[in-house]
Amino acid sequence: MEQHRTRPAQYGPRRNRAPLPAQGRGGAAAARPPVGRGGRPVARRVDPAHPAPGAGSPVARVVRALRGMPNPRLTGLGSGLFCAAVMTLLGFLDELLFGASLTVYGVLFVPVSLLTALWVRRGDLLTAPVVVPIAFAVGLVPVAESGDGPAGRLMGLVTALATEAGWLYGGTLVAGSAVIVRRIRLVRRRAAARNRPPA
């Protein structure tokens, strides 16, 4: 007859040993802060997080500022109306504050041209370099010196256009460059989407 080993009753039932906590396996020593002279705990040095390279560069700041600006999408007609309205308003402000300074008007024309090229929608990119010079001429009406009658006003406008041709070409060149950059990026995105394998 087979006999089974039994544990004496005074020892009680067997208990499964639970795994020791981290403190019992030497984790307490690892969790304790280092102790310096005199038994005082020494604070551990924490290396500060290093910023990403180029995060504080001027170019990165300009990009973040441009991304934070409103980003409307204007049609070709809308971009023309926007540029003409802004340049006319700036022309009146120039006449009021700076005595109709053509130089101030030309300097203000460059950022307005850039915004027009950035805010026009993708389908109407080529309209931006066309509407920008027209808006420049429209905004010159309150700034240009005018004589008596319509003929005098027309002569003053033509003279202002001739003397400020540098600003006119500069703003148009800025708008055209922005349009070319946006067009190249659009073509690359379409090519990448076309070459992307289907999921």
Side-chain angles (χ1 to χ4, degrees):
M1 183 174 181
E2 187 177 351
Q3 295 182 355
H4 298 279
R5 291 185 180 181
T6 57
R7 187 177 178 85
Q10 64 269 19
Y11 293 106
R14 290 180 179 268
R15 295 180 182 178
N16 294 329
R17 292 187 178 181
L20 293 176
Q23 292 82 0
R25 295 196 303 267
R32 292 175 188 169
V35 179
R37 295 180 179 178
R40 296 180 180 178
V42 179
R44 295 181 179 179
R45 292 184 58 185
V46 179
D47 294 334
H50 298 285
S57 63
V59 177
R61 294 174 188 170
V62 172
V63 171
R64 284 196 298 268
L66 289 176
R67 287 180 178 177
M69 292 180 63
N71 192 19
R73 282 292 170 252
L74 303 174
T75 62
L77 179 60
S79 63
L81 293 175
F82 163 76
C83 193
V86 172
M87 292 312 301
T88 303
L89 178 61
L90 291 178
F92 281 112
L93 289 177
D94 183 17
E95 182 185 14
L96 181 64
L97 300 177
F98 301 101
S101 172
L102 293 175
T103 303
V104 173
Y105 179 82
V107 171
L108 294 175
F109 172 66
V110 176
V112 174
S113 302
L114 179 61
L115 288 178
T116 303
L118 292 178
W119 287 352
V120 68
R121 66 183 184 180
R122 297 173 182 174
D124 297 324
L125 281 176
L126 298 180
T127 60
V130 177
V131 300
V132 161
I134 300 174
F136 183 85
V138 171
L140 270 179
V141 174
V143 181
E145 296 181 2
S146 58
D148 297 333
R153 284 185 173 275
L154 182 60
M155 286 302 299
L157 182 60
V158 172
T159 303
L161 284 173
T163 55
E164 302 302 316
W167 292 112
L168 174 60
Y169 294 149
T172 307
L173 181 62
V174 168
S177 302
V179 166
I180 290 174
V181 171
R182 288 188 60 192
R183 182 66 181 175
I184 292 174
R185 292 181 61 186
L186 178 61
V187 170
R188 288 182 177 177
R189 286 179 182 175
R190 287 179 178 175
R194 199 179 303 115
N195 297 332
R196 189 178 304 162

